[in-house]
Amino acid sequence: MKKFTLGPVEMFHRTAVIRDKGFCYFRTQEFSDIMINNSKRLAKILNIQDFNSIIYLAMSGTGAMEATIQNCITNKDKSLVINGGTFGHRFCEMLEWHNCDYDSVNLKWNEELTYKHLKPYENKNYTTLFVNLHETGTGQLYDIKLLSDFCKRNNLFLIVDAISTILADDYDIEKYGIDVTIFSSQKGLCLSPGMSIVALSQRMIDKLQTMPKQTTFYADFKDYLKNIKRGQTPFTPPVCVVFELDDMLNFIDEKGGEKAWLKEIEEKCLYFRKKAKEFNLKIPEFKKSNMLTSIYLENIDAYKVFCKLKDNFGIYINPCGGELATKLLRISHIGNTTLEDIDDLLEKINICIEETKKEDMK
């Protein structure tokens, strides 16, 4: 079995076996030291000044998205959401669920976000902008500078779901004035699922201090910020994943650090796209993340191709949902895969496409 999925990814063997080695009890100084060391290294990768502004949640990325809304948004806020796919739309659903005032910039799946989409919302008293920076449902990577400049001009808090961006694309909290960054263990970090991480700017931390009592007891960010100073979480963290994170950060350092890591992913990404074009596979034109490539199949059922890859060859890629379920395949470039694996994948995709065509002609 081989996974070219977005998460869980094909884990590196050295990290996958961490949980089999055993580890210390978590309410100890030894565990706290690991948590603090992890935070210091993540702060360097994210370019955030205070490593004590990074909190760890035992929940999925969606849970962290909702926790961010619960902690950082009040009924006095007016939010703007970049809604260009499944995960941008999820922010809309959550804000609506929590009776929060918002508007959304609605994009078609293959429509690139530009300033013309933001211009109507200039000087309209919005307080916050939400974006899933890499819209994982399609593969589009939004222009962070465009969004950052818009937020700075309009004095908006910038909240970024970077779940499919961290350790795949360049990301700089300080440079772009990002107030909340949300990411998860099972994607760019190449760990087991079960942990999400939220990094907060000092500006957002200051806002939290003025907020009313939280409606969420379990995910009260103020409690997590208090506990992380001693290298702990208020409740049981995903202990295994914390130790996996320690190993993965060591691995990234051994590989030459974040820039070398990103370069390797970019090389796999560009290699795949070049080879895919040689197979006459159609790739969207919008700006794309290095984390994944979407393949658009016009006259073939993409979901049938996904099933054939899985059932006949034990190869897992990402199908798509909704109206794109029969049109898009999504292939990840993160995790423990090689250029040789990519060659094999593309050959198998081509076989599955040809088999699907023959079946459809019957």
Side-chain angles (χ1 to χ4, degrees):
M1 181 178 71
K2 197 73 175 180
K3 294 193 290 291
F4 291 86
T5 47
L6 291 160
V9 303
E10 187 74 28
M11 289 179 67
F12 293 92
H13 178 72
R14 57 176 283 166
T15 307
V17 299
I18 286 292
R19 61 183 57 226
D20 298 329
K21 295 180 178 179
F23 32 77
C24 66
Y25 175 60
F26 70 96
R27 295 299 191 202
T28 60
Q29 188 57 49
E30 292 86 348
F31 185 83
S32 292
D33 290 343
I34 289 172
M35 288 280 280
I36 291 168
N37 193 34
N38 284 347
S39 293
K40 287 179 177 178
R41 290 182 289 174
L42 284 174
K44 184 178 178 182
I45 288 171
L46 299 170
N47 192 20
I48 191 168
Q49 298 302 311
D50 183 7
F51 66 88
N52 285 322
S53 65
I54 299 173
I55 61 178
Y56 302 85
L57 302 167
M59 56 179 64
S60 70
T62 299
M65 290 165 69
E66 182 170 34
T68 297
I69 290 170
Q70 290 173 299
N71 280 272
C72 302
I73 301 297
T74 71
N75 57 13
K76 295 180 181 179
D77 284 295
K78 183 181 180 183
S79 298
L80 187 64
V81 182
I82 307 302
N83 178 16
T86 303
F87 295 95
H89 184 62
R90 190 164 295 175
F91 269 133
C92 295
E93 291 177 307
M94 290 180 179
L95 287 164
E96 191 166 329
W97 181 273
H98 289 284
N99 297 312
C100 299
D101 186 14
Y102 79 95
D103 289 312
S104 60
V105 179
N106 299 320
L107 304 170
K108 298 175 183 177
W109 82 266
N110 59 349
E111 182 180 5
E112 188 157 6
L113 176 70
T114 65
Y115 178 65
K116 73 177 183 181
H117 297 101
L118 299 178
K119 188 176 180 180
Y121 302 97
E122 293 272 11
N123 302 311
K124 294 293 176 66
N125 298 317
Y126 291 96
T127 61
T128 311
L129 186 142
F130 287 88
V131 63
N132 169 249
L133 189 59
H134 165 206
E135 177 44 72
T136 325
T138 63
Q140 180 172 176
L141 181 68
Y142 298 127
D143 185 342
I144 184 60
K145 185 177 185 306
L146 172 71
L147 294 167
S148 172
D149 289 347
F150 174 81
C151 288
K152 288 174 181 177
R153 280 195 309 275
N154 292 277
N155 194 31
L156 272 66
F157 286 95
L158 178 52
I159 296 180
V160 178
D161 166 1
I163 294 170
S164 296
T165 305
I166 299 299
L167 287 173
D169 306 299
D170 288 328
Y171 192 83
D172 193 318
I173 286 176
E174 191 73 20
K175 181 178 180 180
Y176 295 113
I178 299 167
D179 293 293
V180 181
T181 296
I182 305 162
F183 58 111
S184 296
S185 54
Q186 78 275 15
K187 297 209 173 179
L189 287 167
C190 304
L191 312 177
S192 301
M195 182 167 74
S196 288
I197 303 169
V198 179
L200 303 166
S201 71
Q202 187 57 53
R203 188 167 78 128
M204 182 56 79
I205 291 173
D206 291 343
K207 180 183 179 182
L208 289 176
Q209 306 314 313
T210 69
M211 300 279 276
K213 183 178 179 180
Q214 291 302 329
T215 57
T216 168
F217 176 80
Y218 180 74
D220 181 355
F221 283 3
K222 285 187 281 189
D223 199 7
Y224 280 82
L225 288 168
K226 180 177 67 178
N227 277 272
I228 200 59
K229 290 179 180 178
R230 62 188 183 96
Q232 290 288 332
T233 54
F235 312 104
T236 306
V239 177
C240 299
V241 186
V242 171
F243 281 90
E244 289 176 359
L245 175 59
D246 177 56
D247 181 76
M248 180 53 65
L249 293 174
N250 289 337
F251 188 33
I252 291 170
D253 286 342
E254 291 166 17
K255 298 276 277 186
E258 177 202 4
K259 290 190 183 302
W261 187 265
L262 291 175
K263 187 173 186 296
E264 187 172 317
I265 292 170
E266 183 182 33
E267 286 173 353
K268 286 198 293 184
C269 163
L270 295 176
Y271 182 83
F272 175 88
R273 289 172 188 168
K274 178 177 179 292
K275 287 287 195 175
K277 288 179 180 178
E278 292 174 7
F279 279 91
N280 295 315
L281 296 172
K282 186 175 180 180
I283 297 172
E285 294 296 327
F286 51 63
K287 183 180 178 182
K288 294 171 280 292
S289 167
N290 290 328
M291 181 171 279
L292 81 86
T293 300
S294 293
I295 293 174
Y296 183 71
L297 301 179
E298 291 183 281
N299 301 312
I300 309 157
D301 189 324
Y303 191 75
K304 288 182 181 178
V305 175
F306 159 76
C307 290
K308 286 185 182 299
L309 274 172
K310 171 176 65 71
D311 297 338
N312 298 344
F313 299 108
I315 295 175
Y316 287 79
I317 60 175
N318 284 94
C320 210
E323 63 181 15
L324 294 173
T326 61
K327 297 297 182 184
L328 277 191
L329 297 173
R330 296 175 296 151
I331 290 87
S332 165
H333 308 304
I334 54 175
N336 188 19
T337 57
T338 64
L339 300 185
E340 291 75 19
D341 292 330
I342 290 172
D343 288 338
D344 182 60
L345 169 66
L346 284 165
E347 288 178 10
K348 298 298 195 303
I349 288 176
N350 193 54
I351 290 170
C352 293
I353 287 173
E354 292 304 315
E355 288 181 354
T356 303
K357 283 181 180 178
K358 289 177 183 177
E359 289 176 2
D360 290 346
M361 290 174 64
K362 292 178 180 179

